[in-house]
Amino acid sequence: MNRTKPVVTAAEIQKDLMPLRRRGLLRGGLSLGALTLLTGCDLSTHSGVDAALEAMLRFDDEVQAAIFGQDRLAETYPASALTIPFRFNAYYPEWEVPNVDPNWHLAVSGLVADKTPWSLAALRALPQTSQITRHICIEGWSQIGQWSGIPLQVFLKRVGADLRARYVNFTCFDGYSTSIDMASALHPQTILALVFDNQPLAPQWGAPLRLRIPTKLGFKSAKNLQSIEVTNRFPGGYWENQGYDWFAGV
């Protein structure tokens, strides 16, 4: 099988990741001594800590991007492996799940030929695929769910996206956002999910449309999508801007 190369190199992506800090990782368990051995930095100042964490973040993302490819698939499972009940997860409690605007349309912007907003009916008319894959949370737990929806690569081609662009950015009407590189967007398992557990998405699962990307940690699978932007500008994201891994591969 031919391996599809990333649209941009890991080194190019790292230039955009430079401003991010990962102080949370330091608090999460790595000792100052270990950081000193890894980086050779003087960690007695904040600048030393920042330099060490930047180096670790660059290395981590570069390794993940280097081994990523269209033929590296997340594991799939039989229906008998489904997690029941499936656990709700968001950056807000379940009783604050937002309502869906009955006039909701998906906005499309950036480096695309057709910026016409998409209705739910129009999205449902596109080719669909289904997967039973594992949702892996950065907090350490995981569960298996069944998702169906539009391969993101199909949608991007339909709107005439520039597939040479670096990033695809997702913003949500609940205030969330995330972004991925174009190679991850074109991965065959990356979908715009309309269905969960053989039912139309309910609000707690991200209605009316969510990103589902099983090759990355769960916080990348943004719920309640409002817009998709194709861009060469590094977009960051809600958690990424607070120090989480940007590539976030699993």
Side-chain angles (χ1 to χ4, degrees):
M1 180 180 295
N2 292 331
R3 186 182 184 87
T4 302
K5 294 182 179 179
V7 176
V8 294
T9 67
E12 289 175 312
I13 291 176
Q14 294 316 311
K15 294 178 181 178
D16 292 327
L17 290 170
M18 282 294 289
L20 297 180
R21 300 292 188 267
R22 203 178 181 187
R23 295 184 179 91
L25 178 59
L26 178 59
R27 293 192 296 269
L30 284 178
S31 69
L32 291 178
L35 285 171
T36 305
L37 291 173
L38 284 171
T39 65
C41 294
D42 176 7
L43 301 184
S44 61
T45 66
H46 287 295
S47 60
V49 171
D50 286 345
L53 294 177
E54 280 183 355
M56 293 173 62
L57 178 61
R58 290 196 304 271
F59 177 77
D60 189 24
D61 277 305
E62 186 167 349
V63 168
Q64 293 179 60
I67 65 176
F68 182 82
Q70 305 300 299
D71 57 349
R72 290 184 63 87
L73 302 178
E75 186 175 359
T76 58
Y77 301 87
S80 59
L82 290 171
T83 301
I84 302 174
F86 201 79
R87 174 178 176 175
F88 171 80
N89 184 240
Y91 75 109
Y92 45 78
E94 191 167 3
W95 58 85
E96 293 183 7
V97 169
N99 294 320
V100 180
D101 183 343
N103 298 314
W104 175 91
H105 282 71
L106 178 68
V108 182
S109 63
L111 303 174
V112 299
D114 186 356
K115 295 182 173 63
T116 304
W118 284 73
S119 69
L120 193 54
L123 289 166
R124 286 174 174 160
L126 292 177
Q128 311 282 310
T129 187
S130 183
Q131 59 179 248
I132 299 178
T133 50
R134 185 179 296 275
H135 176 100
I136 302 175
C137 183
I138 197 170
E139 295 174 349
W141 53 267
S142 68
Q143 53 191 349
I144 297 170
Q146 183 172 12
W147 311 87
S148 299
I150 309 149
L152 182 54
Q153 61 173 287
V154 169
F155 181 79
L156 292 175
K157 291 174 182 177
R158 185 63 62 93
V159 300
D162 182 355
L163 303 184
R164 300 166 299 176
R166 293 188 177 210
Y167 307 108
V168 182
N169 185 38
F170 303 87
T171 57
C172 312
F173 58 76
D174 63 2
Y176 196 76
S177 64
T178 194
S179 59
I180 57 178
D181 65 307
M182 183 60 77
S184 296
L186 298 177
H187 190 277
Q189 290 179 311
T190 302
I191 67 172
L192 298 175
L194 293 158
V195 173
F196 174 68
D197 196 22
N198 293 315
Q199 299 293 327
L201 277 180
Q204 68 267 35
W205 310 129
L209 184 71
R210 70 172 296 169
L211 179 66
R212 175 60 190 150
I213 178 165
T215 57
K216 296 185 182 294
L217 290 171
F219 72 87
K220 285 293 191 179
S221 291
K223 300 178 179 180
N224 312 120
L225 293 184
Q226 186 64 57
S227 67
I228 296 177
E229 177 194 19
V230 178
T231 180
N232 284 317
R233 172 191 56 82
F234 180 66
Y238 179 86
W239 286 118
E240 296 89 335
N241 293 346
Q242 299 181 56
Y244 280 46
D245 240 353
W246 180 78
F247 196 87
V250 294

